[in-house]
Amino acid sequence: MLAGGVDVKEHITIVKVCLLAGKIMLKSGAETSRVEDTMNRIAAAYDLENVQSYATPTAINFSIGVATETNFLRINNRSTDLHKIAVVNHISRQITAGELDAREALRTIKHIDDKKLHFPGWVQIIAAAFVSGSFAYMFGGTWPDVLPAFIAGAAGFAGMIACDRLVDIRFVSEFLGGFIIGILAVAFLHYGFGASLDRVIIGAVMPMVPGVPITNAVRDLMAGHLVAGLSKGVEAGLTAFAIGAGIALVFGLV
């Protein structure tokens, strides 16, 4: 029996619940402060005291007390899945309200981790196309710019997704996406299909812009998580650089 009346098996189960919840949120694009707060709240709801949690974009450290063993979890892949974050937040609130015991919470969170809740690739590509056309018009383009941005944005996003499945280097995928957008935008305007090259390119790259990482980087820095904030900011900067470099290469070749 451990402190707080928690036996060893239940202690291990609670630690698994906390780590798995943190892993899902971190892989889905949640800010570091939210990940740590969720893990701490779950542990506190199960009467565990002196919880120590530390999360970075690539790893989670979690322990109960200062003299106990530390649990480490590596995060290899990250994306943006706000629905999974919302689901884990809901489960965390249920745990805090006393509606789920540790074993039931672990089963529920494992189900969320195994389930693919994000949209399939073709749906993301269609959404990227509509977003691209809308932004091209919103940023001052005319109606003739909407369709070129629609096509270029869809093709660039599709190329990024396809390359991401083949190459385990995100920079290469984003570079290829920017290159495809640049090629198509220049080709469309060369043959008189569209009115403003700038508006077509700006609209087409918007689905790939790292808006969530930039926002999370600022929020983590403001919350005092300097390591996570700086690393996320650098990651967002590399993404922006990769997209810009792909488009710049097109202008260097034509």
Side-chain angles (χ1 to χ4, degrees):
M1 191 74 82
L2 301 175
V6 180
D7 61 36
V8 176
K9 289 185 178 180
E10 188 176 0
H11 173 89
I12 295 174
T13 302
I14 295 171
V15 171
K16 288 181 178 179
V17 171
C18 295
L19 285 172
L20 195 53
K23 170 192 169 185
I24 294 172
M25 297 185 72
L26 205 56
K27 289 182 66 175
S28 301
E31 62 271 24
T32 305
S33 55
R34 182 188 295 269
V35 173
E36 294 181 358
D37 182 64
T38 299
M39 296 168 68
N40 292 342
R41 287 177 181 272
I42 291 174
Y46 290 127
D47 299 324
L48 295 183
E49 300 177 352
N50 198 16
V51 178
Q52 307 293 326
S53 62
Y54 177 71
T56 69
T58 56
I60 296 175
N61 288 283
F62 183 79
S63 65
I64 309 297
V66 295
T68 58
E69 63 181 11
T70 298
N71 300 273
F72 176 83
L73 189 63
R74 185 78 165 84
I75 306 297
N76 295 316
N77 300 313
R78 299 180 304 279
S79 61
T80 301
D81 193 335
L82 300 182
H83 181 56
K84 274 195 174 184
I85 296 174
V87 171
V88 174
N89 277 335
H90 177 67
I91 295 173
S92 174
R93 294 188 186 99
Q94 287 183 309
I95 293 173
T96 304
E99 299 175 4
L100 293 175
D101 60 32
R103 293 181 181 179
E104 187 177 358
L106 182 60
R107 287 195 300 269
T108 305
I109 293 181
K110 278 185 176 180
H111 177 70
I112 299 300
D113 188 35
D114 296 335
K115 192 174 182 180
K116 293 183 178 180
L117 297 179
H118 61 272
F119 293 103
W122 65 271
V123 175
Q124 297 181 46
I125 293 170
I126 293 175
F130 281 99
V131 168
S132 299
S134 301
F135 271 109
Y137 187 78
M138 189 182 76
F139 285 129
T142 58
W143 283 109
D145 297 322
V146 172
L147 189 56
F150 182 97
I151 298 173
F157 200 83
M160 184 185 71
I161 291 178
C163 183
D164 201 34
R165 293 175 179 175
L166 298 175
V167 181
D168 195 23
I169 303 176
R170 186 72 177 179
F171 183 91
V172 176
S173 305
E174 292 157 348
F175 178 87
L176 177 63
F179 183 79
I180 292 173
I181 289 173
I183 284 286
L184 291 178
V186 170
F188 285 144
L189 269 293
H190 178 74
Y191 290 104
F193 190 35
S196 173
L197 179 62
D198 294 344
R199 303 298 187 273
V200 172
I201 292 178
I202 291 172
V205 302
M206 287 307 294
M208 297 193 300
V209 170
V212 173
I214 292 174
T215 303
N216 287 344
V218 174
R219 293 186 67 173
D220 281 337
L221 286 172
M222 294 179 65
H225 297 268
L226 303 181
V227 174
L230 289 174
S231 60
K232 289 181 180 179
V234 171
E235 182 182 18
L238 285 174
T239 297
F241 176 76
I243 298 170
I247 295 174
L249 179 60
V250 174
F251 283 98
L253 295 177
V254 297

